[in-house]
Amino acid sequence: MDVILKWIGGGTVAAALVLAGVAIGGRATAENQLPETASLAQAAPAPQPVFAHGAIAAKAAADAERLYTVRRVLPIEGPIKYGEWHWDDEGVPDGPLLVTVDLQARVISIFQGGYEIGAAAVMLGTDEHPTPTGTFPILWKQRHNVSEKYGNAPMPWSMFLTNDGIAIHGGSEVENGYASHGCIGVPDDIAKRLFAIAKKGDRVVITDGKRMGLGDSII
């Protein structure tokens, strides 16, 4: 996985100016005059903000405008194995949901606001029944789906991407040697978490050998 970068925002701190008056009263004489005196607390100079310039500033501005920029990847060591899954959405800010699936890596990644919150190995189609590539919206969801087309096979937590039945779903043996009829089979633990936050219209990007790093635009 790529090295994780952290963007650190800065700010300025305002210093308050305090004015205290101290008066000393008494009878004045020609030899010993005691005038009124005042003390002024010296204000510490406010730190000056630091601004990015040139290419750094331009890239930061462009990234802020792109809704689907990779801002974090999960710290996973080595290739994801079949049956393995990862999920960490703690502290992740709200943002649009985007799912990526790569046919070569055989991995699904779930991004929220550009932060990867989930990843797992997946089961994909075959040459006879391939998993399609492209960008697909989630058309509809079905919690307790059973496929009449394939012998009433249970496909819980189904999120349909095409009208001919291609979906992301659970209920599958995600192991080496297993394949689907074009669907994206994921471990149940990932399927139910994704199903809970996915909405109709959320995008799923299926690629064939695309690699991405921090700061890259997903779409």
Side-chain angles (χ1 to χ4, degrees):
M1 283 290 180
D2 297 276
V3 177
I4 302 172
L5 302 179
K6 297 181 179 178
W7 290 89
I8 302 176
T12 59
V13 179
L17 184 65
V18 181
L19 179 63
V22 179
I24 302 177
R27 298 174 69 103
T29 64
E31 294 83 15
N32 188 18
Q33 185 76 21
L34 296 177
E36 288 188 350
T37 61
S39 64
L40 182 64
Q42 298 297 319
Q48 296 299 312
V50 177
F51 299 100
H53 297 281
I56 296 177
K59 185 178 187 305
D63 286 348
E65 293 177 357
R66 293 187 298 182
L67 295 177
Y68 301 107
T69 297
V70 179
R71 305 184 188 281
R72 184 192 78 172
V73 293
L74 290 173
I76 302 171
E77 295 184 3
I80 299 178
K81 302 178 180 63
Y82 286 103
E84 181 182 351
W85 63 275
H86 302 266
W87 189 274
D88 182 8
D89 59 0
E90 184 176 357
V92 173
D94 291 335
L97 183 74
L98 184 69
V99 179
T100 65
V101 177
D102 189 76
L103 305 185
Q104 295 296 322
R106 304 185 71 84
V107 167
I108 186 172
S109 289
I110 301 157
F111 294 89
Q112 180 176 305
Y115 293 79
E116 188 181 35
I117 61 174
V122 297
M123 180 180 66
L124 299 171
T126 62
D127 291 340
E128 293 77 18
H129 302 281
T131 300
T133 59
T135 300
F136 305 87
I138 294 177
L139 300 177
W140 75 92
K141 298 163 54 179
Q142 190 172 350
R143 169 62 183 87
H144 300 286
N145 179 43
V146 175
S147 175
E148 297 179 358
K149 186 177 181 180
Y150 300 113
N152 294 323
M155 297 180 179
W157 301 290
S158 285
M159 292 154 279
F160 289 90
L161 309 180
T162 67
N163 289 318
D164 59 353
I166 300 298
I168 300 172
H169 62 76
S172 302
E173 293 290 338
V174 184
E175 297 181 8
N176 192 19
Y178 285 76
S180 73
H181 284 79
C183 286
I184 301 158
V186 300
D188 286 351
D189 289 298
I190 281 285
K192 63 184 179 183
R193 285 169 170 80
L194 175 57
F195 189 92
I197 61 176
K199 303 182 298 298
K200 181 179 177 180
D202 286 338
R203 299 184 189 184
V204 177
V205 181
I206 305 176
T207 57
D208 189 5
K210 181 178 179 180
R211 298 175 64 87
M212 293 179 297
L214 290 175
D216 289 342
S217 180
I218 304 172
I219 55 175

